[in-house]
């Protein structure tokens, strides 16, 4: 297929595809799906080999968020039966992080619900970062605390944070339909603050919220322009009790096309399969490793993932290897700060969340995914509980 040959050539040269080419990837048929995966896999292997970076989430503060993000189980007005607790103490967070590191995670992502941190919150997270780094040699730490005020990114960097995550989630044109308590521009500003402070910027998207193909291409092109080191791709987890609880728009094939399009647009960036992979990719998860070079190990913020042991077995069975702490994630030109790269490592970001086929603004995929509500399991272990974490 001429389209795929063109996209591979551009990916190897770090050249941006055209919007029409990106849209064409999303519009490919199921008959062409393996060809799409193979083509994007060439780009992934060129820049990242067969390494898979493991990341581990620690939910520092769960639930009771004043923001109204429609996809989130922690939102204002959510009736989802999730865990709710206030800030973990630094030693509690460090213990939770240690479980992920022992399971093979190279990066720990510290997430807290809320609009953004107060200066006292930044002090608290700074203590947590120090505790984690003191107890886990070589671990990278990414913070995800919401909208940042002036000077907070610098303070997190001084405390030892390696990265900051703040996702764009969807296109600028449709952002107001998903969230009303803050703006798309607020999110862009926080990513830029992280960049400016010398943190490795991490920003991604959520697919499956009823967006069009054009919306998906818009947000991925916007991410390319922001130039984060890491792009997490979330697939909406439709929690009952949230406005998007009945949105089951994704198929495994659709998810693979979205990941492939993201890889072609962001060829040399850490692309991470984040929230929702077990729910929507299901048995196709191993194929997704040919597109993304990073995943979360074990559970997410408020939902359960597949067993950490199963994650490791999947990686090995698919012929990939877990990236070690002695290996640099990003290609040399990005890791050294060139071409807009903001330093070492990747990034974080699973917003407890997640497409659409055709090129003319279609509002639904070619066929709706079966509603697998049985796969949406609320997290009842790990941080905030007395039970051992899944790692």
């Amino acid at each position: 297929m001429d389209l795929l040959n063109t996209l591979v050539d551009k990916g190897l040269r770090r050249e941006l595809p055209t919007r029409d080419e990106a849209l064409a990837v999303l519009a490919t048929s199921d008959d062409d799906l393996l060809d799409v995966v193979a083509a994007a896999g060439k780009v992934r292997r060129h820049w990242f080999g067969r390494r898979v970076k493991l990341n581990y989430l620690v939910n520092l503060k769960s639930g009771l968020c004043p923001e109204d993000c429609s996809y989130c189980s922690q939102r204002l007005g959510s009736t989802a039966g999730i865990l709710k607790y206030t800030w973990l103490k630094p030693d509690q967070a460090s213990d939770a992080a240690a479980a992920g590191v022992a399971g093979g995670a190279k990066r720990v992502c510290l997430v807290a619900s809320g609009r953004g941190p107060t200066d006292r919150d930044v002090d608290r997270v700074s203590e947590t970062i120090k505790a984690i780094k003191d107890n886990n040699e070589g671990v990278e730490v990414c913070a995800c605390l919401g909208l940042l005020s002036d000077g907070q990114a610098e303070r997190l960097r001084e405390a030892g944070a390696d990265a900051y995550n703040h996702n764009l989630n969807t296109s600028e044109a449709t952002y107001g339909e998903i969230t009303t308590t803050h703006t798309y521009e607020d999110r862009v500003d926080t990513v830029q603050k992280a960049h400016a402070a010398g943190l490795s910027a991490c920003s991604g998207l959520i697919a499956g919220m009823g967006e069009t193909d054009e919306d998906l291409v818009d947000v991925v092109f916007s991410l390319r322009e922001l130039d984060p080191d890491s792009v997490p791709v979330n697939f909406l987890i439709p929690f009952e009790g949230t406005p998007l609880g009945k949105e089951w728009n994704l198929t495994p094939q659709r998810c693979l096309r979205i990941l492939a399009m993201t890889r072609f647009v962001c060829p040399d960036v850490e692309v991470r399969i984040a929230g929702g992979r077990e729910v929507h990719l299901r048995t196709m998860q191993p194929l997704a490793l040919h597109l993304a070079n990073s995943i979360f190990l074990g559970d997410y913020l408020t939902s359960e993932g597949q067993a950490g042991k199963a994650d490791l077995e999947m990686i090995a069975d698919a012929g990939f290897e877990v990236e070690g702490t002695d290996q640099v994630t990003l290609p040399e030109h990005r890791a050294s700060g060139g071409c807009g790269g903001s330093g070492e490592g990747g990034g974080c970001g699973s917003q407890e969340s997640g497409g659409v086929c055709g090129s003319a603004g279609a509002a639904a995929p070619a066929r709706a995914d079966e509603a697998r509500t049985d796969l949406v399991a609320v997290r009842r272990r790990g941080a905030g509980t007395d039970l051992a974490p899944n790692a």
Side-chain angles (χ1 to χ4, degrees), residues 335-358:
S336 62
C339 298
S342 59
E344 64 197 281
C348 138
S350 168
Q351 295 297 329
E352 271 322 14
S353 32
V356 196
C357 199

Side-chain angles (χ1 to χ4, degrees), residues 30 39 45 77 148 166 183-184 243 249 283 306 312 336:
D30 286 353
R45 288 191 300 277
L148 292 175
H166 201 60
T183 66
Y184 180 89
N249 300 313
T283 59
Q306 72 182 20
L312 298 176
S336 62

Side-chain angles (χ1 to χ4, degrees), residues 230-275:
S230 174
V231 175
V233 179
N234 294 277
F235 301 109
L236 176 72
I237 301 176
F239 274 93
E240 292 187 15
T242 65
L244 298 182
K246 298 188 184 302
E247 291 287 332
W248 289 87
N249 300 313
L250 296 169
T251 65
Q253 294 82 4
R254 178 67 179 161
C255 293
L256 290 172
R257 291 188 192 96
I258 293 168
L259 288 167
M261 184 270 287
T262 304
R263 174 55 71 198
F264 285 130
V265 176
C266 304
D268 58 338
V269 167
E270 178 190 346
V271 174
R272 177 178 310 127
I273 320 170

